[in-house]
Amino acid sequence: QVQLVESGGGLVQAGGSLRLSCAASGGTFSNYIMGWFRQAPGKEREFVAAIGWNGAFTRYADSVKGRFTISRDNAKNTVYLQMNTLKPEDTAIYCCAASPRLISPSAVDYHYWGQGTQVTVSS
């Protein structure tokens, strides 16, 4: 059983930056593909980014490509999401998730989820 805890959310002005962290425990972190998803009020959960076991492979949603960067530190059991040039439409609860198999944009492929951290971008 893997436990995931996100941190780093907050309120930022448009154009600003935030770095989210997700700390994992209870499993072998390097065995899991890690992803970030977000859900805005009244909207469905959407894929943001994912990273492979050793960080060599990444995948991004088109809406964040070029602005967000996912990375991981297996020695610290932590995955990060660096978010630059934030826009009001990036406002959402951001959750990290762990998948044992696929770098996938589909939430059903992720077995473990954190509670999320709120990101609010003001215009």
Side-chain angles (χ1 to χ4, degrees):
Q1 188 80 9
V2 176
Q3 292 82 44
L4 303 172
V5 179
E6 302 91 341
S7 62
L11 173 64
V12 64
Q13 288 188 333
S17 299
L18 282 174
R19 187 176 84 152
L20 306 183
S21 299
C22 172
S25 61
T28 303
F29 180 71
S30 58
N31 286 349
Y32 291 91
I33 290 158
M34 298 301 297
W36 285 97
F37 290 77
R38 67 186 182 185
Q39 187 166 17
K43 295 187 178 181
E44 293 187 356
R45 181 169 51 192
E46 65 171 341
F47 170 75
V48 175
I51 188 167
W53 298 285
N54 62 1
F57 295 97
T58 58
R59 182 170 179 173
Y60 295 92
D62 288 342
S63 59
V64 306
K65 203 171 293 183
R67 299 188 298 123
F68 290 11
T69 302
I70 188 170
S71 62
R72 66 190 296 163
D73 185 339
N74 286 345
K76 295 182 178 180
N77 291 350
T78 302
V79 62
Y80 304 97
L81 185 68
Q82 177 66 44
M83 306 186 295
N84 298 329
T85 319
L86 282 161
K87 305 175 181 180
E89 52 263 43
D90 294 318
T91 295
I93 295 173
Y94 284 71
C95 294
C96 67
S99 169
R101 296 181 299 152
L102 299 173
I103 298 181
S104 170
S106 177
V108 298
D109 290 319
Y110 293 81
H111 293 190
Y112 304 104
W113 292 82
Q115 293 296 311
T117 186
Q118 176 71 47
V119 171
T120 303
V121 185
S122 63
S123 57

